[in-house]
């Protein structure tokens, strides 16, 4: 009868509405749990002050050129892969005789430094260490401190001469080693001396690698030894090993090829 049919339709409509409401509520709860889980994972992963992840762009050997990844610092927790070129960089010849025991092409690094592209040069340097240390061959996108002994002195010397040349002696591992000695191996004092710390009121902290960069990619404004940056995500052993590499035992690295 029509009355029974009407009652049935009303009942079905009510049941459908209840099911939709339940589904909507369930989806919201699931999304909330996923959001909390994502935030927790981000915090526990160590993406915090002075905790970069190496290898977000790839470096090639002499057969080709550098290729940068598309991730940004805000997304990946690494320094920016791009920076504005310095407007007052003098015209200079880009060196091409850049020796490597690994077949690395350092012309891109020379070009970046010569044109004031310090963020790119900084990233290139870390990526190059992954390749020349053998870490890349081990399927790792970071350099472990025990890999440093495998880095050829010739390659470190080539990169160091470029950093020194285009910063007028202000940047480079050799400069950082001098600052390290002045600080008597005190990592906190070292970070303070080369401008890797910041203050929030009365609180001192390490500068952040994510979001808006707090590091200074400017030769004139940055303190001595500010660049290149080195990851402390896995502790301070990596930078200690780099600064203790045998290449710095004498001044031979300064000799042009």
């Amino acid at each position: 009868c029509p009355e029974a049919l009407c009652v049935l339709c009303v009942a079905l409509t009510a049941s459908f509405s209840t099911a939709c409401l339940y589904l909507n509520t369930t989806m919201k709860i699931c999304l909330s749990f996923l959001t909390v889980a994502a935030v927790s994972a981000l915090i526990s992963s160590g993406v915090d002050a002075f905790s970069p992840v190496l290898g977000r762009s790839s470096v090639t050997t002499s057969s080709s050129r550098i290729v940068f990844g598309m991730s940004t610092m805000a997304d990946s927790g690494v320094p920016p892969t791009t920076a504005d070129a310095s407007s007052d960089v003098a015209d200079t010849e880009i060196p091409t005789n850049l020796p490597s025991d690994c077949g690395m092409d350092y012309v891109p690094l020379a070009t970046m430094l010569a044109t004031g592209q310090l963020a790119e040069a900084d990233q290139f340097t870390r990526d190059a260490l992954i390749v020349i240390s053998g870490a890349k061959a081990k399927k790792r996108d970071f350099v472990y401190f025990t890999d440093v002994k495998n880095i050829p002195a010739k390659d470190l010397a080539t990169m160091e001469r470029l950093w020194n040349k285009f910063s007028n002696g202000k940047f480079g591992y050799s400069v950082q080693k001098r600052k390290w000695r002045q600080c008597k191996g005190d990592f906190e004092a070292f970070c303070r001396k080369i401008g890797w710390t910041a203050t929030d009121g009365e609180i001192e902290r390490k500068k952040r690698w994510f979001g808006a960069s707090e590091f200074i990619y400017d030769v004139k404004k940055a303190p001595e030894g500010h660049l290149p940056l080195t990851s402390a995500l896995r502790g301070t052993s990596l930078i200690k090993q780099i600064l203790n590499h045998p290449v710095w035992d004498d001044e031979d690295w300064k000799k042009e090829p």
Side-chain angles (χ1 to χ4, degrees):
C1 65
E3 290 81 7
L5 182 60
C6 183
V7 170
L8 178 61
C9 289
V10 170
L12 289 174
T13 301
S15 298
F16 180 76
S17 299
T18 301
C20 289
L21 180 60
Y22 175 80
L23 180 61
N24 185 46
T25 302
T26 303
M27 290 179 65
K28 288 181 178 180
I29 292 173
C30 290
L31 287 174
S32 296
F33 275 116
L34 288 173
T35 301
V36 171
V39 172
S40 299
L42 180 63
I43 293 173
S44 64
S45 67
V47 180
D48 198 352
F50 201 65
S51 59
V53 180
L54 298 177
R56 295 302 179 185
S57 61
S58 59
V59 177
T60 62
T61 58
S62 57
S63 61
S64 56
R65 292 291 189 236
I66 183 170
V67 180
F68 287 106
M70 296 303 291
S71 61
T72 64
M73 178 165 40
D75 294 332
S76 64
V78 299
T81 55
T82 61
D84 294 333
S86 175
S87 59
D88 57 357
V89 175
D91 291 337
T92 183
E93 182 179 351
I94 306 299
T96 56
N97 185 11
L98 304 172
S100 169
D101 279 341
C102 303
M104 285 292 298
D105 181 6
Y106 291 110
V107 172
L109 177 61
T111 304
M112 294 167 193
L113 290 169
T115 56
Q117 300 287 295
L118 298 183
E120 290 90 338
D122 182 48
Q123 186 65 52
F124 182 102
T125 301
R126 284 190 301 279
D127 289 339
L129 291 181
I130 295 171
V131 176
I132 65 179
S133 69
K136 188 176 182 67
K138 297 174 184 175
K139 309 300 182 183
R140 279 195 275 106
D141 63 351
F142 63 90
V143 179
Y144 197 54
F145 75 94
T146 56
D147 297 324
V148 175
K149 65 180 181 296
N150 302 322
I151 299 176
K154 182 179 292 185
D155 288 70
L156 266 184
T158 294
M159 290 193 288
E160 187 67 11
R161 283 193 300 272
L162 292 173
W163 275 101
N164 267 246
K165 175 182 176 65
F166 294 111
S167 67
N168 295 317
K170 198 170 186 179
F171 297 149
Y173 294 121
S174 63
V175 181
Q176 292 176 355
K177 183 176 180 67
R178 185 170 68 248
K179 300 297 181 183
W180 181 265
R181 285 175 172 170
Q182 291 172 0
C183 296
K184 299 181 180 180
D186 185 320
F187 183 70
E188 298 302 322
F190 170 73
C191 290
R192 200 175 298 120
K193 195 172 190 67
I194 63 175
W196 285 1
T197 60
T199 55
D200 290 332
E202 298 180 356
I203 305 299
E204 183 182 75
R205 60 172 175 78
K206 302 298 186 298
K207 288 187 174 179
R208 297 190 178 99
W209 293 66
F210 60 91
S213 176
E214 294 182 328
F215 291 93
I216 307 169
Y217 299 99
D218 187 306
V219 173
K220 291 183 177 180
K221 298 178 181 178
E224 285 189 353
H226 193 68
L227 297 173
L229 305 178
T230 300
S231 171
L233 178 61
R234 296 171 180 84
T236 60
S237 295
L238 176 58
I239 190 167
K240 289 178 181 177
Q241 289 300 311
I242 291 175
L243 299 184
N244 285 324
H245 193 283
V247 71
W248 317 124
D249 290 347
D250 52 44
E251 301 293 303
D252 287 349
W253 65 265
K254 294 182 178 179
K255 297 178 181 177
E256 294 289 344

